[in-house]
Amino acid sequence: MSNHLFDAIKAAARSDAPFIMMNGGRSWNYEDVLALSGRIANTIDALGIRPGDRVAVQVDKSAEALILYLACLRSGAVYLPLNTAYTLNELDYFIGDAQPRLVVVPAATRDSVETVAKPHGAIVETLNADGSGSLMDLAKDEQPDFVDASRGTDDLAAILYTSGTTGRSKGAMLTHGNLLSNALTLRDVWRVTADDRLIHALPIFHTHGLFVATNVTLLSGASMFLLPKFDPDEVLSLMPQATLMMGVPTFYVRLLQNPRLDHHAVSTMRLFISGSAPLLAETHVEFKNRTGHAILERYGMTETNMNTSNPYDGERIAGTVGFPLPGVTVRVTDPATGKVLPADETGMIEIKGPNVFKGYWRMPEKTAAEFTADGFFISGDLGKIDPAGYVHIVGRGKDLVISGGYNIYPKEVEGEIDQIVGVVESAVIGVPHPDFGEGVTAVVVCKPGVVLDEKEVLGALTDRLARYKQPKRVIFAEDLPRNTMGKVQKNVLRQQYADLYTRT
Ligand code: MCA
Ligand code: AMP
């Protein structure tokens, strides 16, 4: 019996070497990780979870949370991580859609989560930020040895929800083959080895922190400093012991604001990687001047893992996302005709390769609509490939805001705002924000005679939407600009409020 992804992780594990190092000196060797993942896998099995069943996890970042992910791989369960910022209203949708058998949350939210999990037939166990909880209590009584479930390349390893431009979130189904092939490729192109020590300050419920950072570290037999969240001072204190960092552009913007960042602070660092959102050329240049390091920018998506990367050797060009990864085909097509465009012409970025997901969970029509007849995934990103082969992302064909590396779909936010009594309609846009890259901004039209203020609008969203999706500013307008077809001209609004967060 073989378990495609976990067998590779096990083969790369160096038993007495550290995998996770926590602040305060606590560390987890690979052999500890294998043993605890075995105990948890036995627990999952004893709870009646079978290969293919979903395990939804909305917990704070901890070593145990990562080990739970490994336990799910071992037991054949499909891991379903959820942003800790999601409200109960949002959680209800994910549980209803994915129908997990088990939901793992901190003890503090167990009771409320049970109210939405039980009607869907899911059991709830707990895992707290300090590693305690009912799941771990059960695991203590289990054996570390576990016969890993048989899983092939095409079997699901995880479902990650990604919001839709229309309707509710879609669950991207990622297979063992998707995750293993991408992690091995990244390990090789970024030259990650057992000598590397990664600063892991990303959340572990998205592709970036979970698959890119964690799987690449595991498959290299390397180590990571696991931080609960990004804190520039803590990161700078760890840097003299580290070699590698992965982050969203906001990490680099915030590091640059810290006077401790200089050549000396990064003397042991080998590589800084950025992704999930566009890295401004000025951030790239400023970082190079301050540290001597050219940040390596790469491009990915939940549905595809990583697609392109600037080179390890060779020029890392600011404002580009580099070359297609080995084994991944990237092309640019005319969105109207689907015809492949020549170099330097802007069109839709399409992707094909072993990294591309299996489809959206129980949404065959949506899946079919996102693929071309010849099997390319239509990214929704607009870009071009220059004559030297570097991919440039020049815009988005999808109505999406990326704030601090998190995706926000305006449609979802507008849907909530439009339900507020007294609101006629709204348009949610992203405009330049010095810290988050883009700031979620709502332009709201009220009914005649109705006066609402920003606080009232935001107050109505508190329990409905995760905090990061809530507008940083709400602007009231008489009406929304429309084109002759009646479509709201968001580009006009984006222009109008372009300096909202940068005005002095
Ligand atoms: C927190 N807040 C945010 C964000 N994060 N608001 C907008 N956008 C955000 N990203 C809210 C907080 O709730 C808080 O609200 C206020 O903003 C300020 O919080 P702050 O303490 O500054 O936030 P933080 O805790 O320091 O978090 C900022 C962060 C974090 C470090 C940038 O958002 C982060 O770790 N982002 C990484 C996201 C990520 O991993 N993306 C990868 C997706 P208030 O105080 O008002 O209550 S995977 C992906 O995109 C693809 C596959 C790829 O290519 O990687
Ligand atoms: P998600 O669906 O959350 O995984 O977000 C994927 C989207 O993030 C992509 O479709 C891009 O729009 C964006 N993205 C990821 N990496 C980059 C990057 N390096 N530069 C610009 N956009 C990026």
Side-chain angles (χ1 to χ4, degrees):
M1 287 223 288
S2 76
N3 181 302
H4 191 65
L5 178 53
F6 193 75
D7 284 354
I9 290 172
K10 207 160 50 182
R14 297 176 305 133
S15 54
D16 57 350
F19 167 46
I20 296 173
M21 295 169 294
M22 308 285 288
N23 228 348
R26 198 160 165 234
S27 86
W28 295 79
N29 283 353
Y30 275 91
E31 63 185 359
D32 305 329
V33 171
L34 294 181
L36 183 58
S37 64
R39 290 182 199 278
I40 304 175
N42 276 311
T43 309
I44 289 174
D45 187 55
L47 288 170
I49 283 101
R50 297 287 160 256
D53 286 346
R54 277 76 58 211
V55 173
V57 179
Q58 189 191 36
V59 298
D60 294 310
K61 193 173 173 183
S62 67
E64 289 80 359
L66 277 183
I67 298 170
L68 169 58
Y69 154 63
L70 296 177
C72 287
L73 292 180
R74 299 187 70 172
S75 67
V78 179
Y79 188 69
L80 197 170
L82 293 165
N83 194 322
T84 47
Y86 288 148
T87 62
L88 200 59
N89 166 54
E90 291 166 306
L91 201 64
D92 187 24
Y93 168 75
F94 295 120
I95 294 176
D97 191 61
Q99 296 182 308
R101 291 285 298 276
L102 171 65
V103 180
V104 183
V105 294
T109 60
R110 180 183 199 146
D111 289 349
S112 57
V113 171
E114 272 185 340
T115 63
V116 297
K118 276 200 171 151
H120 295 295
I123 44 174
V124 180
E125 296 294 346
T126 64
L127 174 58
N128 302 314
D130 64 1
S132 63
S134 65
L135 188 73
M136 293 301 141
D137 290 343
L138 293 170
K140 278 184 199 129
D141 297 332
E142 296 289 347
Q143 292 301 314
D145 293 328
F146 180 78
V147 180
D148 299 329
S150 170
R151 295 278 94 182
T153 48
D154 205 37
D155 284 318
L156 293 195
I159 294 178
L160 266 64
Y161 274 83
T162 157
S163 300
T165 40
T166 53
R168 304 284 316 244
S169 295
K170 301 167 284 185
M173 299 190 287
L174 294 149
T175 65
H176 277 243
N178 295 149
L179 300 185
L180 181 59
S181 70
N182 208 238
L184 291 174
T185 301
L186 296 175
R187 180 193 69 180
D188 295 345
V189 297
W190 295 338
R191 314 264 174 91
V192 185
T193 70
D195 293 332
D196 274 305
R197 292 175 304 280
L198 170 80
I199 295 179
H200 191 311
L202 289 156
I204 53 169
F205 40 71
H206 278 311
T207 297
H208 199 163
L210 182 62
F211 301 140
V212 183
T214 306
N215 285 347
V216 169
T217 303
L218 284 163
L219 290 162
S220 315
S223 313
M224 57 162 79
F225 294 103
L226 197 72
L227 303 180
K229 59 172 280 190
F230 178 75
D231 174 330
D233 266 314
E234 214 177 339
V235 165
L236 282 158
S237 298
L238 280 173
M239 252 182 218
Q241 304 165 60
T243 61
L244 189 61
M245 192 178 97
M246 297 180 191
V248 296
T250 301
F251 284 19
Y252 294 104
V253 169
R254 291 186 182 182
L255 280 172
L256 281 166
Q257 284 161 1
N258 196 306
R260 290 169 62 196
L261 182 78
D262 57 17
H263 274 74
H264 180 67
V266 302
S267 58
T268 60
M269 291 295 289
R270 181 175 71 76
L271 184 61
F272 290 92
I273 300 170
S274 178
S276 308
L279 182 77
L280 291 181
E282 66 192 57
T283 309
H284 184 101
V285 170
E286 218 187 308
F287 200 86
K288 179 95 194 275
N289 290 341
R290 280 272 287 281
T291 66
H293 280 271
I295 299 170
L296 180 151
E297 186 171 7
R298 65 21 170 216
Y299 158 58
M301 294 185 71
T302 301
E303 288 92 334
T304 62
N305 295 281
M306 298 304 103
N307 303 314
T308 73
S309 172
N310 266 281
Y312 188 81
D313 298 316
E315 203 181 350
R316 298 174 198 161
I317 301 184
T320 83
V321 292
F323 304 112
L325 291 169
V328 178
T329 308
V330 177
R331 70 184 186 188
V332 173
T333 61
D334 182 329
T337 63
K339 223 177 94 212
V340 178
L341 294 171
D344 262 347
E345 280 192 34
T346 297
M348 179 62 69
I349 297 178
E350 296 180 351
I351 298 137
K352 195 175 191 174
N355 53 319
V356 176
F357 75 140
K358 194 171 175 167
Y360 296 111
W361 172 253
R362 292 182 178 162
M363 288 185 179
E365 292 87 11
K366 283 218 163 91
T367 303
E370 309 263 349
F371 281 88
T372 62
D374 58 348
F376 278 75
F377 177 66
I378 305 166
S379 72
D381 292 313
L382 300 176
K384 63 177 188 179
I385 303 176
D386 70 22
Y390 287 84
V391 177
H392 301 236
I393 299 174
V394 297
R396 290 180 205 136
K398 50 193 173 189
D399 192 12
L400 160 73
V401 180
I402 305 183
S403 168
Y406 286 141
N407 286 11
I408 296 105
Y409 281 85
K411 181 111 184 135
E412 185 185 3
V413 185
E414 288 158 6
E416 295 294 346
I417 295 176
D418 294 352
Q419 286 178 42
I420 300 172
V421 177
V423 169
V424 176
E425 61 174 351
S426 60
V428 169
I429 52 170
V431 294
H433 188 289
D435 185 32
F436 291 122
E438 291 177 346
V440 178
T441 305
V443 184
V444 175
V445 179
C446 295
K447 285 187 181 139
V450 173
V451 181
L452 287 174
D453 64 18
E454 184 170 68
K455 239 171 115 184
E456 286 171 289
V457 172
L458 295 178
L461 302 178
T462 308
D463 294 333
R464 307 289 304 168
L465 291 174
R467 185 79 190 91
Y468 70 89
K469 296 180 190 170
Q470 295 173 24
K472 298 279 176 226
R473 290 287 309 275
V474 179
I475 290 153
F476 295 92
E478 298 271 294
D479 50 24
L480 299 175
R482 291 196 135 80
N483 65 15
T484 47
M485 308 289 286
K487 195 170 177 282
V488 175
Q489 292 171 303
K490 290 200 168 177
N491 53 335
V492 172
L493 291 174
R494 278 192 286 266
Q495 247 167 19
Q496 195 175 343
Y497 300 108
D499 63 350
L500 190 66
Y501 300 103
T502 50
R503 250 177 239 159
T504 44

